[in-house]
Amino acid sequence: MKTTSPQQSRHRARKRFGQNFLVDTHIINNIVAAINVKPDDHVVEIGPGLGALTDALIKVARHLSVIEIDKDLAERLDRRYAHQKHFTLHCGDALKTDFAEISSGQAMRIVGNLPYNISTPLLFHLLSYRVSISDMYFMLQKEVVDRLAAPPGNKNYGRLSVMMQYHCQIQALFKVPPTAFNPAPKVTSAVVRLIPHYEPPHIATDLDLFERLVKICFQQRRKTLRNSLKVFTEDMVELANSNIDLGARPETLSVAEFVSLSNLLSKTM
Ligand code: SAM
């Protein structure tokens, strides 16, 4: 079912801000149902746009903070919601937002139908605030959701999968067709749920090293692990004695194996 609000007809979608507004009420209801906001929740919506999700979120949340980069849209949102005490508008770039300040020490639930061009850097930005985030729900390009949720050995498995799966439990929820948006994007989208681990199931003793290791291995996907590891050390004896096959390629390694490799490597350096 599609509806076009009068508000929307007066706003010209800006491509540079990745503006594809949700207009399918069935999809909007499905997203809101998946989030299942409770009266005690502090919800943070990234890119509220014309308020397709905001309308439903503000009715239930204890507090709703929104971050919108487009000044015109921010003004509309201000006019529409600012009279409600439990609403806070931040006009700015979510990539530069200090989410610790927004959280002010309390758990946040993060929601957003994200512009495709900022989705990966934004996910990495949000990881640095993971201790203050209870869960996240994002509409993303389906291809990105496939990469987030991919298991080892899958063609979509890469740096994004390993890093996000290290920090979060990830669940692809449902696909969304281009017809659910106005203007319609060229690609299919999907909704994903990410729940940061209270403590990762496998802990990298040196997180910086783990991040560098994963990055370098996937920058050189065709190389064997042995070849990629030469950037870090020439001493492969201990690594070769581990259970990890150094002749393998990075896309076959599980998150747990990357962690083991990183922890072994940190001992040899
Ligand atoms: N949530 C609305 C919906 O579902 O209809 C709008 C979604 S639209 C795909 C993305 C929204 O994010 C737009 O309102 C856009 O202006 C905003 N946006 C784009 N880049 C942003 C950024 N870096 N920080 C905050 N908001 C941004």
Side-chain angles (χ1 to χ4, degrees):
M1 195 202 316
K2 263 193 181 183
T3 56
T4 309
S5 70
Q7 292 242 1
Q8 188 182 336
S9 58
R10 282 183 267 124
H11 176 79
R12 267 189 102 159
R14 293 190 166 106
K15 247 190 184 169
R16 71 177 188 282
F17 292 143
Q19 292 178 352
N20 300 97
F21 299 105
L22 261 174
V23 289
D24 186 324
T25 49
H26 177 67
I27 299 286
I28 293 170
N29 291 342
N30 284 351
I31 298 173
V32 171
I35 303 167
N36 191 17
V37 176
K38 302 276 167 31
D40 226 21
D41 291 343
H42 177 196
V43 179
V44 178
E45 187 186 6
I46 301 172
L50 292 162
L53 299 170
T54 324
D55 272 348
L57 301 174
I58 201 165
K59 283 187 191 130
V60 204
R62 173 179 58 80
H63 198 92
L64 178 67
S65 303
V66 302
I67 305 157
E68 174 56 64
I69 200 168
D70 184 323
K71 288 198 175 90
D72 291 341
L73 290 179
E75 270 172 31
R76 282 166 183 253
L77 292 158
D78 193 50
R79 282 199 296 274
R80 189 143 137 213
Y81 302 112
H83 62 281
Q84 308 207 44
K85 281 208 179 91
H86 66 304
F87 175 80
T88 311
L89 170 71
H90 301 263
C91 181
D93 184 347
L95 287 172
K96 294 183 187 148
T97 298
D98 180 353
F99 284 86
E101 203 177 308
I102 293 185
S103 114
S104 53
Q106 292 187 341
M108 297 174 286
R109 304 191 69 197
I110 307 220
V111 176
N113 169 14
L114 298 183
Y116 300 137
N117 55 336
I118 68 157
S119 55
T120 308
L122 186 62
L123 288 170
F124 279 107
H125 181 60
L126 286 167
L127 275 188
S128 42
Y129 300 98
R130 61 190 177 275
V131 291
S132 315
I133 299 175
S134 41
D135 52 4
M136 303 182 259
Y137 294 79
F138 294 125
M139 168 96 74
L140 302 166
Q141 198 170 341
K142 181 181 171 293
E143 199 187 290
V144 178
V145 172
D146 290 344
R147 283 164 53 207
L148 286 171
N154 183 285
K155 68 176 181 356
N156 297 309
Y157 188 69
R159 177 180 171 227
L160 187 67
S161 330
V162 176
M163 290 315 303
M164 296 307 293
Q165 289 174 25
Y166 176 83
H167 290 292
C168 304
Q169 186 194 323
I170 296 173
Q171 202 182 356
L173 297 180
F174 49 86
K175 283 198 288 185
V176 180
T179 50
F181 304 88
N182 185 23
K186 291 198 175 72
V187 293
T188 298
S189 305
V191 177
V192 65
R193 174 192 285 136
L194 300 103
I195 306 175
H197 296 302
Y198 181 66
E199 197 166 77
H202 310 281
I203 297 178
T205 49
D206 180 342
L207 197 53
D208 280 349
L209 176 63
F210 174 71
E211 285 172 6
R212 277 191 294 134
L213 172 70
V214 174
K215 190 171 178 181
I216 284 182
C217 285
F218 283 106
Q219 265 169 356
Q220 323 181 18
R221 279 184 94 99
R222 298 247 176 100
K223 285 196 180 175
T224 61
L225 292 169
R226 184 177 287 102
N227 271 330
S228 296
L229 288 168
K230 282 183 186 154
V231 175
F232 297 97
T233 180
E234 287 297 325
D235 177 10
M236 299 281 170
V237 179
E238 201 169 335
L239 297 177
N241 286 338
S242 74
N243 289 331
I244 298 159
D245 173 11
L246 298 185
R249 305 214 190 282
E251 63 264 27
T252 62
L253 238 61
S254 67
V255 176
E257 287 171 320
F258 267 113
V259 171
S260 304
L261 198 55
S262 167
N263 290 348
L264 278 170
L265 196 58
S266 77
K267 285 190 207 153
T268 67
M269 287 169 70

